[in-house]
Amino acid sequence: MRNRLPDWVKLPPMLRALASRALFVTAYLTIPGGCSAQIVPTSAPGASAQEVVAIEPPLFPLPPEAESADVTRFSFLVYGDTRGRRDGQDLQYEHSLVVQSMLRTAARLREGPDPVRFVLQSGDAVVNGGDPAQWNVSFVGLVNRLTQEAGVPYFLAPGNHDVTATANLDSPRRQRGLGNYLAAMSRLIPPDGATRRLDGYPTYAFGYGNTFVLALDSNIAQDSTQFAWAVAQLQGLDRERYVHLVAFFHHPAYSSGPHGGSVVERSTAVVRARWMPVFREHGVDLIFTGHEHLFEHWIERYQDETGQWKRIDQIVSGGGGAPLYLYEGEPDLRAYLAEGVADSVRVTHLVKPGPNRGDNPYHYVVVHVDGPEVWMEVVGVDWGRDFRPYQSARTNLSDPETGR
C-alpha cells in the first residue's frame, strides 16, 4: 500500500505554513533577473536566553501506530551532526543548505509512490546543548522549516554536544542539556507515560507502516534502565508487521574518523559489547549513527539461531553541517569479532570516507522502503552535489535472495 498524503500537503510551502497558523513563516523576495531568494528567521519565534522554544509540531504527523499497519511503501531522511561554528549567534549556515536540499527532495517525492514521511537526526544538534540560545537562535528555526514547509515529523537522538558525554545521569551539565533537548523536542517525541517513551529519558520509539524505529541515548549506553526498556520494546514487536527494524543514535559501533580507527571511546565500547548482540538477536536491519562528520557504510553479517545469514547495515551520516572530518584509519575489530564468533560475525567496510579535504561533503541520505526491499540514496549538498560514494549515489540495503 502506498502512503497517501492529504490535499493540503500538496500546497506550496508558503500556503501550507500559513494554513497551519505556524509561528514560523517564510517570506520570499523576487530579485531582479528572475531569481528568488528566501528569508529565513535567524531565531525561533519567542526565543529567549533562558528557555528553549519548542520546535513546531509537523503539519502532517504520523498517524496512530495501528492505523498505518498496511503501509509498505514510503521514504524517510536521515542525517546527523548539525552543530555550527557560530551557534548561539547566527543561524547554522551549513545546516541551512542541507535543510534547503531536504525540502527540495521532499517536494520531489511528494507526488510519487514513496513520499517522505519523517526525518531522523542522530545527534549533536548544537555545540553546547546547555546553552538555550544555541537551540533558539541557531537550530529550532531551521527544523521548523522541515516540520512546517515539508510538513514532516522530526526525530532527534541526543549527541554528546547536546547532553554531554558523561555516563552520570545526575551530572548538572547533563541535566541542563537534557532539559533543553526535551524542551526543544517536547512537541515531536512521544510524551512521558506513552508506551513508546522511556519516562524522563530522550529514549523513545515509533512504528510506521512495516518499519519500527528505536531512538537511543548512546551517551549513556551502559544505563541498565534504558537497556531493559529497549529490549522490552524489541521483544514485544509484531514481527509479522514490522519487517524492518531501525535503530538510530549518536556513537557508531565502528568507524574510521577521528572518533574511530585506533580510538575506542567509552560509548562505542558499550555499543559493541552490549547493544550489537541485542540487535542481532532481534533482527535489527539498519543502524544510523553520526559523531563522525563524514559518510561511511558498514555491513555486519551474522548467522541467526536457525543458521540463516542476516545483515545489519550501519550508516554513519554526520554531514549535517558540523566541521567535516577525514579518514583516520580502520578500527581494530579483532576482539569484537572474537566475541561474536558464536554468531559467525563478519564486518565489511563497504564505503570508506576520503583522507583529503574535499572528499567528504555535507550530505544526508534518503531511505526508500518498498515492502521487504530497502534502498538508499546519498544526497551531497553545496560543493558536494556530485558525491557518489558507491560509484553512484544509490545502493541496495537488502540482499536480493533473502530480502535482508
Side-chain angles (χ1 to χ4, degrees), residues 188-203:
L188 299 178
I189 66 176
D192 279 347
T195 302
R196 299 300 190 199
R197 172 74 185 281
L198 177 58
D199 288 0
Y201 283 70
T203 306

Side-chain angles (χ1 to χ4, degrees), residues 2 11 39 45 49 73 78 105 133 147 176 178 180 191 220 267 275 375 395 401:
R2 68 161 287 190
L11 292 172
I39 300 175
R73 189 166 185 183
V78 189
T105 294
T147 65
R176 283 195 298 274
L178 178 60
N180 290 339
I220 54 167
S267 290
W275 288 94
W375 62 279
T395 190
E401 66 275 11

Side-chain angles (χ1 to χ4, degrees), residues 83-102:
R83 62 181 176 88
R85 294 169 294 177
R86 293 178 57 81
D87 280 358
Q89 302 175 63
D90 297 311
L91 199 72
Q92 293 170 338
Y93 173 71
E94 291 83 0
H95 185 199
S96 74
L97 300 177
V98 175
V99 167
Q100 187 63 36
S101 178
M102 287 179 164

Side-chain angles (χ1 to χ4, degrees), residues 8-44:
W8 61 260
V9 178
K10 301 175 184 178
L11 292 172
M14 175 63 77
L15 295 181
R16 288 203 310 278
L18 290 173
S20 73
R21 299 181 182 179
L23 294 176
F24 186 92
V25 179
T26 306
Y28 291 85
L29 290 177
T30 300
I31 297 176
C35 300
S36 64
Q38 206 167 48
I39 300 175
V40 181
T42 56
S43 63

Side-chain angles (χ1 to χ4, degrees), residues 232-249:
Q233 291 286 312
L234 295 172
Q235 289 175 335
L237 289 180
D238 175 2
R239 292 312 304 269
E240 291 296 318
R241 171 183 174 175
Y242 288 119
V243 178
H244 307 294
L245 304 187
V246 177
F248 76 107
F249 47 89

Side-chain angles (χ1 to χ4, degrees), residues 26-292:
T26 306
Y28 291 85
L29 290 177
T30 300
I31 297 176
C35 300
S36 64
Q38 206 167 48
I39 300 175
V40 181
T42 56
S43 63
S48 75
Q50 290 77 38
E51 183 177 343
V52 172
V53 176
I55 297 164
E56 288 292 316
L59 299 187
F60 185 32
L62 296 181
E65 199 168 322
E67 294 182 12
S68 68
D70 293 334
V71 175
T72 59
R73 189 166 185 183
F74 61 96
S75 63
F76 59 96
L77 310 181
V78 189
Y79 72 139
D81 297 275
T82 58
R83 62 181 176 88
R85 294 169 294 177
R86 293 178 57 81
D87 280 358
Q89 302 175 63
D90 297 311
L91 199 72
Q92 293 170 338
Y93 173 71
E94 291 83 0
H95 185 199
S96 74
L97 300 177
V98 175
V99 167
Q100 187 63 36
S101 178
M102 287 179 164
L103 292 172
R104 289 193 295 267
T105 294
R108 171 174 59 87
L109 295 175
R110 185 174 297 123
E111 301 297 333
D114 49 355
V116 175
R117 289 303 291 114
F118 52 86
V119 179
L120 306 181
Q121 210 271 50
S122 61
D124 279 4
V126 295
V127 170
N128 176 10
D131 180 1
Q134 295 196 14
W135 296 90
N136 292 339
V137 172
S138 303
F139 181 77
V140 170
L142 281 174
V143 179
N144 280 340
R145 296 195 65 194
L146 293 170
T147 65
Q148 301 306 295
E149 294 181 41
V152 294
Y154 187 94
F155 300 102
L156 170 68
N160 54 292
H161 280 268
D162 302 323
V163 298
T164 78
T166 181
N168 178 8
L169 272 66
D170 297 322
S171 161
R173 289 185 61 233
R174 174 181 166 83
Q175 286 300 312
R176 283 195 298 274
L178 178 60
N180 290 339
Y181 163 93
L182 293 175
M185 297 297 293
S186 61
R187 304 176 75 182
L188 299 178
I189 66 176
D192 279 347
T195 302
R196 299 300 190 199
R197 172 74 185 281
L198 177 58
D199 288 0
Y201 283 70
T203 306
Y204 57 93
F206 63 92
Y208 180 74
N210 63 356
T211 301
F212 185 79
V213 180
L214 179 65
L216 301 171
D217 183 354
S218 58
N219 299 288
I220 54 167
Q222 80 300 326
D223 182 72
S224 58
T225 301
Q226 176 177 240
F227 184 79
W229 182 88
V231 169
Q233 291 286 312
L234 295 172
Q235 289 175 335
L237 289 180
D238 175 2
R239 292 312 304 269
E240 291 296 318
R241 171 183 174 175
Y242 288 119
V243 178
H244 307 294
L245 304 187
V246 177
F248 76 107
F249 47 89
H250 193 58
H251 299 83
Y254 21 74
S255 64
S256 59
H259 294 296
S262 61
V263 176
V264 182
E265 296 182 346
R266 175 186 54 81
S267 290
T268 290
V270 178
V271 168
R272 289 182 189 177
R274 197 171 195 193
W275 288 94
M276 293 303 290
V278 167
F279 294 153
R280 293 195 295 268
E281 178 183 356
H282 293 283
V284 171
D285 310 303
L286 301 171
I287 298 173
F288 293 99
T289 64
H291 202 38
E292 304 278 27

